[in-house]
Amino acid sequence: MYKLKKIVFLCLFITNVVAYSQETTSKVQMSIFAENPQQWTGIAISKTNRVFVNFPRWSPETPVSVAEIIDGKTIPFPNPHWNNWTENTSNNNQFICVQSMYVDSKDLLWVLDTGYELLTDTTKGARLFCFDLKNNTLIHNYFLPAEKITSKAYLNDFRIDHKNHIAYFTDSQIGGIVMFDLNTTEVRRVLVNHYSTLTEVDKIIIEGYERKHPVHSDGIELDAPSGYLYFCSLMGKNVYRIPVAYLLDKNISDTELGTKVEKYAQTGANDGIIFNKKGELFLSSLEKNAISKINKQGVFTEIIKDDAIKWPDSFAFDNQVNLYFTTSQIHLPKEKRSTYKIFKLKF
């Protein structure tokens, strides 16, 4: 029996190696789309291939929060005024610390501002902005007050569920999933203290550098047709999912809700995750300097591995189904970092 298991394991290993080799050598072409001396995290691409990127204000030197990349240059979006916030500014129509962004099925650009203030290491509340890309104008400005999400919250990534009028956020500082009703502005935190939304490992090692600081729920993706929400902790080893129907049911206790969570796949540490139109889930394999995917049959494959892929952070597809991702080099000391890059994968 032991020998049989060993043979099966070796066969699976060889199959995976072959799949990896085929993907990386004959199917995937990687090129640099843009570079910048400042650290970026989020990326979003419109239906007309406009590319947007955000720079979280994790240091006083951050010159811009949201930009559109035009001919390789970062142009402040929607204008310079929105990006001129200082600690003494009190303006709801200026970015404070933008963590992530997303273009939805209606070609609207959503921007998550954590409200994180560097000097106090807290937030007075997060904001979710929505811009109409036809004229670059603000059409929604939602506020998630600190008393609802807590002053220590750091909302990280999100998805918009138009069918149910809900925005789902991960909270990498506290854990859990934060749900925001776009119609009523009700805020709910679910899966609190659940293993699926909390750090699962004591450390991760990337290029020889250990990272022990706990980072809880981070990557998130919505499979609207199938009715599942997927998520993972950055300091984790698995991707989990839960039927959206259970999240929407306010009569279910958080304890019971936890029993509805399913382990989708063991993947190692990931940051961003995203589905393509084929139902394949792409992952940022942090510890491997790689981009991976899980196909519809549940097979995990590294599609490309390269030393230049230094902390792949966030993903977006263009209208030609090319995959773009940012590298944020979070694991490296500042003196070891090169320019921050956006890579483009052509399949």
Side-chain angles (χ1 to χ4, degrees), residues 59-73:
S59 72
E61 295 80 32
T62 306
V64 63
S65 291
V66 177
E68 181 175 2
I69 299 178
I70 302 175
D71 297 327
K73 298 179 181 179

Side-chain angles (χ1 to χ4, degrees), residues 25-219:
T25 59
S26 62
K27 291 185 179 181
V28 181
Q29 300 175 24
M30 187 172 79
S31 59
I32 297 174
F33 174 75
E35 297 183 72
N36 199 280
Q38 299 296 327
Q39 187 178 41
W40 45 34
T41 52
I43 185 171
I45 302 178
S46 75
K47 293 185 181 300
T48 57
N49 283 350
R50 294 174 65 184
V51 179
F52 302 91
V53 69
N54 71 262
F55 303 80
R57 186 173 276 106
W58 291 340
S59 72
E61 295 80 32
T62 306
V64 63
S65 291
V66 177
E68 181 175 2
I69 299 178
I70 302 175
D71 297 327
K73 298 179 181 179
T74 51
I75 309 301
F77 179 90
N79 55 52
H81 170 75
W82 270 84
N83 292 272
N84 285 341
W85 184 88
T86 67
E87 293 287 347
N88 298 319
T89 303
S90 178
N91 191 330
N92 293 337
N93 284 357
Q94 283 187 306
F95 300 125
I96 300 175
C97 180
V98 174
Q99 172 62 28
S100 56
M101 55 208 323
Y102 178 69
V103 171
D104 68 12
S105 58
K106 298 180 180 181
D107 210 29
L108 301 174
L109 175 66
W110 297 78
V111 177
L112 169 60
D113 191 325
T114 66
Y116 170 76
E117 296 188 3
L118 188 63
L119 294 181
T120 63
D121 194 29
T122 60
T123 179
K124 294 177 182 177
R127 287 194 178 274
L128 182 62
F129 299 106
C130 181
F131 294 90
D132 185 343
L133 292 179
K134 293 177 183 177
N135 47 25
N136 297 341
T137 57
L138 180 72
I139 57 175
H140 296 297
N141 180 351
Y142 298 105
F143 184 55
L144 289 77
E147 53 266 28
K148 295 289 186 180
I149 61 173
T150 84
S151 63
K152 288 295 183 180
Y154 192 91
L155 303 189
N156 193 306
D157 207 349
F158 69 99
R159 286 297 183 262
I160 303 297
D161 181 352
H162 281 298
K163 178 182 177 181
N164 298 298
H165 313 290
I166 299 289
Y168 306 96
F169 303 88
T170 52
D171 188 336
S172 58
Q173 186 72 8
I174 298 175
I177 302 294
V178 173
M179 299 175 60
F180 179 76
D181 192 309
L182 298 171
N183 287 339
T184 67
T185 71
E186 177 189 16
V187 179
R188 296 171 56 216
R189 185 185 291 272
V190 298
L191 299 176
V192 179
N193 297 322
H194 192 266
Y195 63 85
S196 66
T197 66
L198 298 176
T199 293
E200 295 183 288
V201 296
D202 295 330
K203 64 182 178 181
I204 58 175
I205 301 175
I206 306 173
E207 297 185 312
Y209 292 93
E210 287 189 2
R211 185 171 181 85
K212 296 184 177 181
H213 178 72
V215 181
H216 302 298
S217 55
D218 191 312

